[in-house]
Amino acid sequence: MSTTTSSTDNKRKAPAGERVADWADGRLGIYSLAKANMRKIFPDHWSFMLGEICLYSFIIIILTGVYLTLFFHPSMNEVEYHGSYVPLQGQLMSEAFNSTMHISFDVRGGLLIRQIHHWAALIFVAAMLVHMMRVFFTGAFRKPREVNWLFGFLLLVLGMFTGFTGYSLPDDLLSGTGVRFMQGAVLSVPIVGTYLSMFLFGGEFPGGDFVARFYSVHILLLPGIMLGLVVAHLILVFYHKHTQFAGPGKTNKNVVGMPLLPVYMAKAGGFFFLVFGVIAAISALASINPIWALGPYRPDQVSTGAQPDWYMGFSEGLIRVMPGWEINAWGHTLVLGVFIPLIIFPLVLVTIAVWPFIESWVTGDKREHHILDRPRNAPTRTAFGVAWLTWYFILLIGGGNDLWATHFHLSINSITWFVRIAFFVGPVIAFIITKRICLGLQRRDKDKVLHGRESGIIKRLPHGEFIEVHEPLSQEALHTLTAHEQHKPLELGPTVDENGVERKVKGTQKLKAKLSQGMYGEESQIPKPTADEYKEITSGHGHH
Amino acid sequence: MSSQDIPEENLPVAQADGADLEKHGENPFADPGLPPHEHRIQDIDERAAKRSERTVAFLFTLSMLATIGFIASYVAFPVDKSIYVWPIGHISALNFALGMTLGIALFCIGAGAVHWARTLMSDEEIADERHEISAPPEVKAKVLADFKQGAKESAMGRRKLIRNTMFGALTLVPLSGVVLLRDLGPLPEDKLRHTLWAKGKLLVNQNTNEPLRPADVAVGSLTFAKPEGLEEHDHDFQTQIAKAALMIVRLEPDDIKDKQELEWSHEGIVAYSKICTHVGCPISLYEQQTHHVLCPCHQSTFDLTDGARVIFGPAGHALPQLRIGVNEEGYLQALGDFEEPVGPAFWERG
């Protein structure tokens, strides 16, 4: 009844789009959804698009991956090659390799899609790492975003394994060697290693099963989990609203930027096409994983310079530089030379993932944080992040020790020893240097706030002295440079109370106080300028 | 660990300058609020806006042309044609044409949309309020009360027998799924201890597929061999060669330092497993002068004159040696299987 009255009242028919929207709203409630999100505000900063690169390359991987499944045969049955690539004709190979050759040489555009898929995968994992570092260095992981940090971390780990299972599918000489390496590492697991290996490969290596098994893991299991995590990640980004850097008009209680419709729809939507376009152009120009040059996998053959895809490089470094320790006792072998790297591999990743929780425990800070830190204003965190990156890159050097040796004419023995030592020393040095740089930058900010910006204008005073004129900063700049918060280090207080009774301090409390002193003590931050300091100097007696 | 461990004044909120500065009058560092909007040239000059419009339209048109180019290339270029592209070299013409046209078609849509957003859509910054993520206390109280009510009505807490048996059933039921995984593969048993090598098996040259005579093995060369009877067409060839692959080198008997190595060799010819004892890559690099072999994967280096012991790299033990001799017809033959497992070490290896 009400509909008839309203339509007769209006005396007009709603436009078609509106009628479709009405239909959908009656069933899906889209108007309420759009009310909250259509004009949602997104702050602008170049680093906020790193996450977009991850999302878009993920979509590209799914699109191209579906295409590849139409032609790929995940089977290890041996067939003779009769395709159009002459050098391999007549050679025995698995159907997996054969169908990948077919995609590359006989399906028009197949090679392009294969290369887009592989390039996008490399870019996907790289973008995730860079995005994660952006979140780390700006403290965007703080409450309420810790869970989203973990979702992102899981995506990085799953992305690495999806990549590994993916590049193993063509069953070429290089990827087969990588699978063998993984199998050797699995064998090193004490007690259950041989069982795991037999179950994984359906018997002895390589057997006839692993391509089909990796295939279902690569195209269904892992991407399915990842898709769910990506959706959850994005829902949380929407729900929490985006973080922003400090600046005039920007507070912890608002979000300043431009609306989703139209600006971000156009910018973010357009950026998808930019990313896709660039990856397509790279795939047109730069060959990746030329399996025809490598040949089909044979467990008794190998090529030199064997390298995994870059994101597996740090695990390669661990395995290459580890001394070959083996303990043989009571009829058993403990293969430490392989097992220790296998354990350190996840530990390297977990080290960066747990930092947000350590930091929030030390600060005891339970408030929401929506204003990003400049890395310099959190020197210990920044130094820790750089130390971790240094660790990671040292292991990457270890993973490519043969390439470093041949390209830079170095001895492989000395590179290996360098990596062994730098594995322990490198992060410490990086930590110290980074912290110094952060403190230096804090001092410079303080100086700028109190004394103004160097104008480059030299003035001669009546008595002959030359001085440089410093221009005072605008209030916007003053606010931006002083908006950050500084934690006070935790003091345990006197261990004896006013009655002389000894107060018990728990060990965890002592540890917390120690860490807090390290992170926020005098050595770790420069007190930011106060308004009183500023007033005293500016109202002062006219120097500078 | 709880927040009361931390004295309140240590939290930055208590040290914020705001509160005490109110007393001193205005704060020089106070937030001046959003800066006034600055107009772009397109906002004030319609001709500039028109130029932007044309740029965007041009980019979109270029994308259309590129898509047509993509379809044309798909039809026009044969799949095996290669062209020279400076500085890359010879590449597939079809792949190059398809990739570049697709890239341009996509990139121009993106560039057009971004240019449109940057120059013609409103660039006025808007502030939106945030709301605390945590629910207000009333909501929390309501939810907790609801939960208590629900739990009470289910009688979970009161009827412990139901609760405990339910937990028991839910814990056990996934076991079926675990049990089903059993047939993923056979048990290891002693599979990793045996290879195809056995007493009397001839050493067949991998390249020529002919049995080897001592005279075929020259000083300074590296020969790869497989056991007789193993053919590439065999269904389990890959799995067998993964364990049986052999490398053969001729040394001067006087150079052999290891006594057992000398005993197991024939006229200075030694046969070692080709599978690295680190993680199983095939060893394929041989240094003639030093008689070192090197695994190209992780650079484990073995000294063939000294029982193939590890002299560098991450491998944990020497390469297993195969005992060889010659049969009546003068062909090289194995005098048994490897006496220890080949390839990477594992728990049961001992």
Side-chain angles (χ1 to χ4, degrees), chain A residues 204 242 249 255 300 326 368, chain B residues 31 128 130 133 243 274:
Chain A
E204 290 180 73
H242 211 286
V255 49
D300 60 335
E326 259 178 42
E368 287 186 12
Chain B
D31 183 357
D128 220 0
R130 287 182 196 275
I133 305 293
K243 290 192 297 183
K274 194 187 173 187

Side-chain angles (χ1 to χ4, degrees), chain B residues 220-231:
Chain B
S221 72
L222 181 66
T223 311
F224 298 131
K226 61 180 182 180
E228 68 168 307
L230 179 64
E231 297 301 331

Side-chain angles (χ1 to χ4, degrees), chain A residues 53-318:
Chain A
I53 300 180
C54 306
L55 175 66
Y56 300 149
S57 46
F58 185 62
I59 295 171
I60 294 165
I61 292 169
I62 291 179
L63 291 175
T64 51
V66 170
Y67 180 86
L68 292 174
T69 62
L70 305 178
F71 300 95
F72 180 70
H73 299 178
S75 154
M76 294 177 81
N77 290 339
E78 295 279 312
V79 292
E80 212 168 284
Y81 181 68
H82 296 296
S84 51
Y85 185 69
V86 178
L88 287 183
Q89 277 168 4
Q91 205 162 343
L92 278 178
M93 53 183 62
S94 64
E95 272 191 54
F97 189 88
N98 189 44
S99 58
T100 314
M101 289 297 290
H102 178 70
I103 292 171
S104 308
F105 286 98
D106 300 300
V107 176
R108 281 179 286 174
L111 178 63
L112 180 70
I113 300 298
R114 240 197 84 214
Q115 302 207 126
I116 292 179
H117 191 70
H118 205 140
W119 273 118
L122 296 193
I123 290 168
F124 176 49
V125 186
M128 280 198 287
L129 188 70
V130 178
H131 171 57
M132 181 167 139
M133 288 299 110
R134 189 287 284 179
V135 169
F136 183 88
F137 285 117
T138 57
F141 53 73
R142 289 171 298 170
K143 190 184 168 188
R145 296 184 179 76
E146 302 99 319
V147 177
N148 225 14
W149 163 264
L150 287 183
F151 283 176
F153 173 71
L154 277 177
L155 280 166
L156 174 70
V157 175
L158 292 175
M160 286 169 47
F161 284 100
T162 314
F164 176 77
T165 50
Y167 73 68
S168 300
L169 290 180
D171 201 24
D172 57 277
L173 191 56
L174 179 62
S175 74
T177 306
V179 176
R180 173 85 225 217
F181 158 25
M182 186 208 77
Q183 189 256 351
V186 169
L187 278 182
S188 77
V189 177
I191 305 171
V192 295
T194 48
Y195 292 83
L196 287 178
S197 168
M198 291 286 162
F199 289 170
L200 203 56
F201 289 87
E204 290 180 73
F205 179 86
D209 289 330
F210 86 78
V211 167
R213 291 181 179 180
F214 278 28
Y215 185 65
S216 77
V217 170
H218 176 73
I219 70 159
L220 182 68
L221 181 64
L222 295 180
I225 300 171
M226 289 177 75
L227 194 60
L229 282 171
V230 166
V231 171
H233 198 76
L234 291 176
I235 288 176
L236 280 178
V237 168
F238 263 71
Y239 183 58
H240 291 145
K241 299 194 168 122
H242 211 286
T243 51
Q244 59 193 355
F245 279 101
K250 297 174 182 178
T251 71
N252 207 33
K253 294 223 180 300
N254 72 5
V255 49
V256 176
M258 300 217 236
L260 179 63
L261 186 78
V263 176
Y264 271 88
M265 209 77 106
K267 274 193 180 175
F271 191 50
F272 167 74
F273 289 98
L274 291 178
V275 171
F276 203 164
V278 168
I279 292 179
I282 292 173
S283 308
L285 298 170
S287 155
I288 185 165
N289 198 19
I291 55 150
W292 54 91
L294 303 163
Y297 180 57
R298 279 271 303 257
D300 60 335
Q301 288 172 4
V302 72
S303 56
T304 53
Q307 286 286 318
D309 274 5
W310 78 267
Y311 43 85
M312 283 290 168
F314 80 99
S315 63
E316 181 84 6
L318 281 167

Side-chain angles (χ1 to χ4, degrees), chain B residues 43-161:
Chain B
D43 295 330
I44 43 179
D45 182 357
E46 183 53 27
R47 276 184 311 169
K50 276 266 179 238
R51 263 204 307 280
S52 283
E53 187 184 347
R54 280 197 298 274
T55 309
V56 174
F58 170 75
L59 287 166
F60 287 162
T61 313
L62 201 58
S63 167
M64 289 190 257
L65 293 175
T67 298
I68 294 167
F70 181 91
I71 298 168
S73 322
Y74 189 89
V75 177
F77 287 106
V79 76
D80 54 356
K81 186 177 166 58
S82 83
I83 49 163
Y84 182 80
V85 177
W86 188 87
I88 303 162
H90 285 278
I91 54 176
S92 156
L94 183 65
N95 187 65
F96 175 70
L98 291 180
M100 288 315 285
T101 48
L102 180 65
I104 292 167
L106 292 163
F107 190 90
C108 287
I109 294 178
V114 171
H115 193 64
W116 179 12
R118 289 174 62 95
T119 58
L120 294 172
M121 292 180 186
S122 161
D123 74 333
E124 211 152 345
E125 286 199 309
I126 305 172
D128 220 0
E129 268 182 38
R130 287 182 196 275
H131 305 285
E132 205 175 341
I133 305 293
S134 316
E138 318 83 80
V139 175
K140 180 183 164 185
K142 169 87 170 84
V143 170
L144 290 183
D146 283 356
F147 179 78
K148 265 200 195 118
Q149 182 68 19
K152 202 176 141 218
E153 284 169 16
S154 77
M156 268 277 269
R158 201 153 52 84
R159 304 196 188 277
K160 293 221 162 61
L161 188 61

